[in-house]
Amino acid sequence: MRVHVADHPLITHKLTVLRDRETPSPTFRALTNELMTLLAYEATRNVRVVDKQIETPVTTTTGVAIAEPRPLVVPILRAGLGMLDGLMQLLPTAEVGFLGMARNEETLQPYTYAERLPDDLSDRQCFVLDPMLATGGSLAAAIQFLFDRGAVDVTAICILGAPEGIAKVEREVEGHDVTLVLGALDERLNEQGYIVPGLGDAGDRLYGTVD
């Protein structure tokens, strides 16, 4: 698994505002969208393209176009939805699927409670969106779900990640073509499984359900 931690002052600046507990939900959503566009630039570096001949006002030249089948973007519900627009601004021709993942509180294992994806992902590049890579269970399960349907490579994009989560995903997806793009790699998880220093619960902060 390839891990890329974005190193750009604009990303660090926006993350600083996201981390601030005083940042209101509307600002948090707007900054998440802006941050996602910056991360998407890194994440789509290896998107597949084909040559395309065009006529400019001056001459004929060869450029590139996004290859078929089109990439598939998969936000993990619910918090991943807050990242979707930022990626689609750079990759508007991509298709979008949805995957709902949750944790069984008895077994502590992730399970899929909803999905809206093509049955056959053969030869597809997939981009998975999940703001927080904490324990890594849900993201690893989502990535495996896509490979089980035939995906050829998967890029996961997370705003923040913890070392424990990276290690978990790396173990679970061994042997597959996976790239992980992070806005920042934080220190650790606390006893409750939250990323430290982190930014709290991304879903709650995106949708205004915290006090």
Side-chain angles (χ1 to χ4, degrees):
M1 183 175 77
R2 297 170 297 277
V3 179
H4 176 76
V5 181
D7 182 17
H8 193 287
L10 283 179
I11 290 176
T12 304
H13 163 67
K14 293 178 190 302
L15 275 173
T16 300
V17 183
L18 287 182
R19 292 184 192 276
D20 190 339
R21 65 185 301 169
E22 300 300 324
T23 299
S25 287
T27 304
F28 193 96
R29 286 194 297 271
L31 282 173
T32 297
N33 185 62
E34 294 171 12
L35 181 59
M36 186 57 208
T37 299
L38 294 172
L39 293 177
Y41 180 80
E42 297 293 340
T44 56
R45 187 175 296 276
N46 294 317
V47 69
R48 286 184 295 177
V49 295
V50 293
D51 290 341
K52 180 178 181 180
Q53 192 173 62
I54 61 170
E55 294 282 345
T56 77
V58 179
T59 188
T60 300
T61 189
T62 300
V64 299
I66 301 298
E68 294 286 347
R70 290 177 290 167
L72 180 69
V73 180
V74 184
I76 298 180
L77 304 177
R78 67 178 166 148
L81 288 174
M83 305 169 68
L84 180 60
D85 286 347
L87 178 55
M88 296 305 290
Q89 289 177 27
L90 281 190
L91 205 58
T93 60
E95 295 182 4
V96 179
F98 298 94
L99 194 57
M101 307 292 296
R103 186 175 70 170
N104 185 304
E105 295 304 323
E106 294 182 1
T107 66
L108 302 183
Q109 296 301 308
Y111 67 94
T112 303
Y113 67 84
E115 64 95 357
R116 186 69 173 175
L117 296 167
D119 292 331
D120 183 7
L121 296 178
S122 297
D123 203 33
R124 298 293 291 267
Q125 282 187 304
C126 297
F127 295 87
V128 180
L129 312 181
D130 195 9
M132 312 298 285
L133 174 53
T135 62
S138 294
L139 183 61
I143 292 171
Q144 187 59 56
F145 189 98
L146 298 175
F147 281 120
D148 288 345
R149 292 214 173 172
V152 293
D153 69 77
V154 175
T155 297
I157 310 171
C158 304
I159 293 174
L160 295 180
E164 297 91 331
I166 292 176
K168 169 74 171 180
V169 173
E170 192 164 28
R171 288 194 304 270
E172 295 292 325
V173 304
E174 186 177 1
H176 291 300
D177 188 355
V178 177
T179 301
L180 174 63
V181 177
L182 300 174
L185 175 59
D186 277 10
E187 297 171 10
R188 58 183 173 85
L189 298 180
N190 65 14
E191 295 76 10
Q192 291 76 41
Y194 281 93
I195 299 174
V196 178
L199 50 77
D201 187 297
D204 287 347
R205 298 196 65 192
L206 278 164
Y207 301 114
T209 53
V210 291
D211 295 331

